Amino acid sequence: DIQLTQSPSFLSASIGDRVTITCRASQGIGNYLAWYLQKPGKAPKLLIYGASTLEPGVPARFSGSGSGTEFTLTINGLQPEDFATYSCQHLDTNTYPFGQGTKLDIK
Amino acid sequence: QITLKESGPTVVKPTQTLTLTCTFSGFSLRTSGVGVGWIRLTPEKALEWLAVIYWNDDAFYSPSVNTSLTISKDTSGNRVVLTLTNIDPADTGTYFCAHTARIYDRVSGTYRPRNFDQWGQGTVVTVSS
């Protein structure tokens, strides 16, 4: 089974900062990766799929890159609404595992 | 507009069977490629994919979940049901259902979804005696 490991697990940053979250796969997964944002008590929200394609309506300060085993989610210019937990997900043919999540909070 | 809503009991005793229902609108499980998946948020705040069912009755389950899972669909009623049998306190969490669509990927020569793009608000389940 493919495992996804996110780093860091916890991240503190300030408004306006640029932050990067990494998702590493235990074996190559092409670009079959999505990123989600989740806030307490809310449904997860799709941000990026295909490793780098921005979901319509998601602000351009979010970007994704990578392929194979290493992927990154970058937020340029943190906004107050961005403090949340971020998770990556691999979309295989019949299993769709998530990473363990990265909690981003205000410094 | 796609909407999904989860329903089910809030407290379940260990070893019992948990039945969760996802009622959706704005799409049809009779449409080619369409699927509905179940994902839970653990008390450790990690998302865990559980199961998915597609328009053609293809169903897939997480190999990492120890509890026995069964997913089924009621096409006429726009509902998807997830059953967890012999439930354990480790199954405590918030359960979400989500819409997905499987497409043909020419690079890999396989059918797979790109994402889970619309989610319900979730239902909280506590497994405790």
Side-chain angles (χ1 to χ4, degrees):
Chain A
D1 300 343
I2 293 173
Q3 312 291 327
L4 298 180
T5 303
Q6 292 181 228
S7 60
S9 294
F10 300 93
L11 179 59
S12 292
S14 302
I15 302 295
D17 281 355
R18 178 177 186 266
V19 298
T20 298
I21 298 169
T22 298
C23 177
R24 289 186 173 87
S26 56
Q27 57 186 276
I29 60 171
N31 68 342
Y32 304 113
L33 191 95
W35 288 96
Y36 301 85
L37 167 160
Q38 183 167 28
K39 297 182 180 180
K42 301 290 187 181
K45 176 185 176 182
L46 173 66
L47 298 173
I48 286 167
Y49 62 91
S52 60
T53 301
L54 204 64
E55 173 73 353
V58 174
R61 63 180 180 272
F62 290 92
S63 64
S65 65
S67 68
T69 60
E70 187 158 329
F71 303 83
T72 58
L73 171 70
T74 300
I75 312 171
N76 278 298
L78 273 174
Q79 297 300 302
E81 60 268 30
D82 299 337
F83 292 95
T85 297
Y86 293 83
S87 299
C88 57
Q89 181 191 28
H90 170 45
L91 290 308
D92 205 339
T93 53
N94 57 12
T95 64
Y96 316 125
F98 285 89
Q100 84 278 14
T102 295
K103 184 175 181 181
L104 173 59
D105 65 11
I106 298 176
K107 186 183 291 183
Chain B
Q1 180 189 5
I2 289 175
T3 65
L4 305 100
K5 185 174 183 178
E6 307 85 353
S7 59
T10 54
V11 180
V12 185
K13 288 180 167 46
T15 75
Q16 288 186 336
T17 295
L18 169 64
T19 299
L20 298 170
T21 300
C22 175
T23 304
F24 58 85
S25 63
F27 66 94
S28 173
L29 261 177
R30 293 186 292 269
T31 302
S32 178
V34 172
V36 172
W38 283 93
I39 303 97
R40 69 184 173 194
L41 181 67
T42 68
E44 295 74 35
K45 305 305 179 187
L47 291 172
E48 182 175 29
W49 172 72
L50 301 175
V52 69
I53 191 164
Y54 288 100
W55 89 105
N56 62 351
D57 289 326
D58 280 352
F60 303 113
Y61 299 94
S62 170
S64 305
V65 175
N66 294 323
T67 303
S68 177
L69 305 173
T70 304
I71 191 169
S72 62
K73 62 182 176 65
D74 170 10
T75 308
S76 61
N78 281 6
R79 290 181 299 179
V80 170
V81 175
L82 180 71
T83 301
L84 292 81
T85 305
N86 193 22
I87 203 163
D88 182 87
D91 296 308
T92 292
T94 302
Y95 287 74
F96 298 93
C97 60
H99 167 272
T100 188
R102 202 166 55 169
I103 62 170
Y104 182 70
D105 177 72
R106 284 181 288 181
V107 173
S108 63
T110 61
Y111 287 88
R112 62 177 75 209
R114 292 176 178 172
N115 52 57
F116 287 80
D117 58 353
Q118 300 294 331
W119 297 58
Q121 287 301 304
T123 186
V124 178
V125 177
T126 300
V127 182
S128 174
S129 54

